[in-house]
Amino acid sequence: MADVNRGNRPLSPHLQVYRPQLTSITSILTRITGNALIVAIFMIVWWFIAAASGPEYFATANGFVTSWFGDLVMFLSVWALWYHFFAGIRHLIWDYAIGLELDIAEKLGWGMIGASVAMTILTVIII
């Protein structure tokens, strides 16, 4: 039998009702950065294939990779790599049922973001 009060309550938490928490945002961002790294991998592989194909093709690929857009993609890829790395460490910690309390999970999230930014800056400065 149908519930007569069904129309008066939300069916599920959606973005108009649910306020995203830091843990959900970092989880979504982990998935996005993982997929974005695939784009960078294709760009790097294209550059290597161009290097093996000949000087004309390499000049085209190298011009793209060293352009401002290529530099931006590479910089963001370095950040995504570090972010994904620290997200993996956070999940390893959670696998041992450590840091699952809300305040500690939020500190781990902010630490993950801060560490990825700091390591990206250090990586870019050193390289």
Side-chain angles (χ1 to χ4, degrees):
M1 181 142 280
D3 186 4
V4 293
N5 293 324
R6 185 174 177 98
N8 297 332
R9 61 180 186 198
L11 298 177
S12 64
H14 50 82
L15 293 178
Q16 294 174 342
V17 185
Y18 179 73
R19 188 182 74 105
Q21 300 168 342
L22 182 64
T23 52
S24 64
I25 292 170
T26 55
S27 177
I28 292 166
L29 198 54
T30 300
R31 288 166 175 78
I32 291 171
T33 56
N35 288 315
L37 285 171
I38 294 171
V39 174
I41 289 170
F42 281 136
M43 195 169 82
I44 292 169
V45 168
W46 173 52
W47 187 75
F48 279 128
I49 290 172
S53 297
E56 304 85 22
Y57 192 54
F58 178 71
T60 303
N62 193 48
F64 178 78
V65 171
T66 58
S67 70
W68 68 270
F69 183 73
D71 286 342
L72 179 66
V73 168
M74 287 301 174
F75 178 79
L76 292 175
S77 297
V78 170
W79 173 77
L81 190 62
W82 282 116
Y83 183 86
H84 212 73
F85 173 77
F86 287 116
I89 290 176
R90 180 182 67 164
H91 278 277
L92 284 174
I93 292 169
W94 284 351
D95 285 343
Y96 287 100
I98 300 171
L100 295 175
E101 298 82 19
L102 189 57
D103 59 331
I104 296 174
E106 190 164 326
K107 288 177 185 174
L108 282 173
W110 284 115
M112 186 177 80
I113 293 169
S116 66
V117 169
M119 290 304 293
T120 300
I121 292 169
L122 284 174
T123 303
V124 170
I125 289 172
I126 291 173
I127 293 179

